[in-house]
Amino acid sequence: MTEITGLLRRDVLKRLGLVAVAAPGLSLLSACATGGGSEEGGTDVASDGDAKNPFKVDAAKPLNVVIFKGGLGDDYATQVHEPMYVTAFPGVKIEHEGIVEIGKALQPRFSSGTDIPDVVANSGTDLMDTGALAEAGHLQDLTALWDAPSVDDPAKKVRDTIMPGAVEAGLVAGKPYLLPYVSTTYGLWYDAELFKAKGWTPPKTFEEFKTLAETIKAAGLTPFAYAGKNASYYAYWMILISAAKIGGNKVLLDIDNLVDGAWTNPAVEQAAAAWAEINTKYSDKSFEGLIHTEVQTQQNQGKIAFYPSGSWLENEQAPSTPKTFKYGLAPTPSVSSADAMPYEAVRVAAGEYYFVSAKGENPQGGMEYFRQMLSKAGAKGFTEKSGSLTIVNGAAEGLTLSPGLTSVFAAQQAAGQNVVTTSLFENWYKELETELRRQTNNLMYGRNDAKTFCAEMQKAADKAKEDAGADIQTRAS
């Protein structure tokens, strides 16, 4: 791993919050170096090919598992994955923590080098900066996991049992540090029963979107809404998906690779303008002050027609969703007839990132925990508890799907090979992602136009590129 020195090191520490929280009298270097490993990384974990215990887990060592308790809940961990791990290693102790604000809870622990968890589900609006964690040597290289025997068929490597592109989706600085466990489909969510009763059909173009929005508005509903307070990224996902539909996936690859002028690509400006018009004309400024669950609940109450999100939404809202409400997913509308991808194209991505702490007390246990997660039983149990699909091939076979997941399958089948790629800069450059959230609200609530949005994001990308220097990250597909 690249040695972190001088200004680069200080930048990394700042991003990890070490400058702010290092205890008086404790140097920044010592604060980072404690916690069970060197600053360049922790214990090397290898697989010896043993089908039952390839990482030589010591059952006497407890395993500390931290799960983001958001849309997926954490029942899948406490009722499926953790019991599987205990069954594999009788007598082992699991220390489970379900946390909503991951960064706020864990950053001080990584900063001080004490009480570092072994497994982390790093998600939600307060997720930790994995680029900075990788640079500081906190992330375990998962190469041995992907090359280990799978739980279901020891003749196969784990990497051969998952959807194509999943390993690559977890690369940071060219190494597989992250496990993107969930196969998520993104788009516009609506109440299929309500639409059926009203005779409404999800729009295939933005012109149809505006026409339908007038009808919905006249019926007393807000046509479109997202939560500006903590989930503006739900809106920028729609902008980026539309940009890819207009100009092809290369538009998003260029953004990830910090290519000069990537954000001022006409496809990005065109997509930003289309979504800004929808939100400024057919939403309400009050949503900028709300969090995602508040807006989602209003949709469940029949007050909002379309809501942008991923396929975890149905499970997240299950406690407050009326029985008459049936979630349906629609692709984002086409911006023009010249779009590179058809209306049916959807973003299907391996996401919801998990990592093993290289400087935790039990990286071997963390790797084995992931191997159990990636078994068919682990993946099937996850889908049953969370309502979301995983990257494990064939794990959903035989399951009875909910209305929302049924619509996801239908959307995926209609899309075929027309899949919008995911954006990796969100994990690679946290400061760039944070600026995108701010600029998205400025755009969508009418404070900036699309041209200014693109110009401001290009400035932020140029700064990210300058900060990255020789450590700039790239992807080819």
Side-chain angles (χ1 to χ4, degrees):
M1 175 167 290
T2 303
E3 184 179 2
I4 303 168
T5 58
L7 291 176
L8 176 57
R9 167 175 292 179
R10 183 167 183 80
D11 182 59
V12 169
L13 297 175
K14 283 173 67 179
R15 280 190 279 160
L16 277 170
L18 299 181
V19 170
V21 300
L26 183 64
S27 73
L28 295 175
L29 176 60
S30 63
C32 189
T34 54
S38 70
E39 198 161 8
E40 284 69 34
T43 305
D44 288 335
V45 179
S47 167
D48 66 0
D50 180 348
K52 291 187 176 180
N53 189 8
F55 310 116
K56 295 297 170 263
V57 170
D58 181 355
K61 285 187 175 181
L63 188 72
N64 183 189
V65 178
V66 172
I67 299 296
F68 167 63
K69 199 168 181 177
L72 302 176
D74 66 349
D75 286 350
Y76 69 86
T78 58
Q79 298 179 28
V80 180
H81 297 155
E82 292 168 14
M84 289 177 68
Y85 183 82
V86 172
T87 298
F89 303 97
V92 73
K93 182 181 178 183
I94 299 275
E95 298 169 353
H96 175 88
E97 298 175 74
I99 293 174
V100 175
E101 295 180 294
I102 291 292
K104 184 177 181 180
L106 297 188
Q107 201 155 284
R109 292 159 65 175
F110 279 94
S111 301
S112 65
T114 57
D115 196 23
I116 293 177
D118 300 302
V119 172
V120 177
N122 186 39
S123 194
T125 190
D126 187 42
L127 78 173
M128 297 191 74
D129 184 342
T130 49
L133 286 168
E135 289 183 78
H138 279 296
L139 302 185
Q140 181 67 48
D141 186 336
L142 301 181
T143 300
L145 167 73
W146 298 124
D147 289 334
S150 76
V151 170
D152 299 305
D153 182 356
K156 290 184 178 179
K157 294 179 180 179
V158 173
R159 68 169 71 241
D160 297 326
T161 66
I162 60 175
M163 63 184 278
V167 174
E168 290 73 18
L171 296 178
V172 180
K175 287 191 175 183
Y177 287 124
L178 306 176
L179 165 59
Y181 188 56
V182 179
S183 170
T184 300
T185 303
Y186 301 80
L188 290 172
W189 293 86
Y190 62 99
D191 179 358
E193 288 296 306
L194 173 67
F195 272 51
K196 182 180 178 181
K198 296 286 188 181
W200 298 340
T201 302
K204 292 187 175 182
T205 68
F206 269 84
E207 288 305 312
E208 291 182 6
F209 199 171
K210 287 183 279 187
T211 299
L212 178 60
E214 292 288 351
T215 302
I216 291 170
K217 198 173 178 180
L221 280 74
T222 299
F224 171 83
Y226 76 95
K229 186 173 183 178
N230 75 333
S232 59
Y233 53 104
Y234 289 21
Y236 80 56
W237 285 335
M238 299 301 109
I239 295 171
L240 294 174
I241 291 169
S242 291
K245 282 191 170 186
I246 295 168
N249 278 327
K250 187 175 185 302
V251 175
L252 303 190
L253 296 180
D254 285 349
I255 287 175
D256 281 350
N257 291 332
L258 301 180
V259 171
D260 293 342
W263 282 97
T264 54
N265 185 311
V268 181
E269 183 175 334
Q270 199 175 352
W275 281 105
E277 183 179 7
I278 292 296
N279 202 65
T280 53
K281 289 185 177 178
Y282 303 111
S283 190
D284 189 284
K285 291 184 177 180
S286 63
F287 292 114
E288 187 171 11
L290 301 183
I291 64 172
H292 66 299
T293 50
E294 292 172 329
V295 179
Q296 291 163 189
T297 298
Q298 287 197 33
Q299 187 186 35
N300 293 152
Q301 294 169 345
K303 299 177 181 177
I304 296 169
F306 288 109
Y307 180 76
S309 189
S311 46
W312 63 82
L313 175 64
E314 185 178 41
N315 184 67
E316 184 172 42
Q317 289 303 106
S320 60
T321 302
K323 290 183 179 178
T324 54
F325 190 109
K326 305 296 182 187
Y327 273 108
L329 172 72
T332 55
S334 298
V335 176
S336 78
S337 58
D339 286 3
M341 292 188 186
Y343 158 73
E344 290 78 11
V346 290
R347 170 178 276 182
V348 183
E352 292 292 329
Y353 293 92
Y354 297 70
F355 67 82
V356 171
S357 304
K359 298 181 182 180
E361 294 295 328
N362 193 3
Q364 296 86 355
M367 297 276 273
E368 177 60 26
Y369 186 86
F370 279 5
R371 198 173 73 102
Q372 297 290 333
M373 286 174 66
L374 291 163
S375 68
K376 283 190 176 180
K380 183 177 181 180
F382 177 89
T383 299
E384 290 174 329
K385 296 297 181 185
S386 72
S388 292
L389 303 173
T390 73
I391 61 171
V392 179
N393 295 331
E397 292 174 359
L399 289 176
T400 300
L401 300 180
S402 64
L405 275 187
T406 299
S407 73
V408 166
F409 264 125
Q412 290 180 357
Q413 289 177 341
Q417 298 300 310
N418 296 301
V419 175
V420 175
T421 190
T422 191
S423 292
L424 299 184
F425 76 90
E426 297 176 38
N427 280 311
W428 289 350
Y429 309 107
K430 189 68 173 65
E431 292 174 4
L432 178 61
E433 194 274 343
T434 300
E435 180 63 12
L436 179 54
R437 296 189 190 202
R438 193 171 74 87
Q439 293 300 335
T440 297
N441 276 346
N442 287 341
L443 169 76
M444 298 291 277
Y445 289 102
R447 294 187 288 276
N448 280 336
D449 60 16
K451 193 173 190 66
T452 304
F453 167 81
C454 292
E456 291 298 321
M457 285 312 303
Q458 189 57 55
K459 285 181 188 175
D462 291 343
K463 183 179 183 303
K465 189 173 185 177
E466 181 181 350
D467 291 345
D471 294 327
I472 190 170
Q473 302 192 51
T474 60
R475 59 183 292 203
S477 61

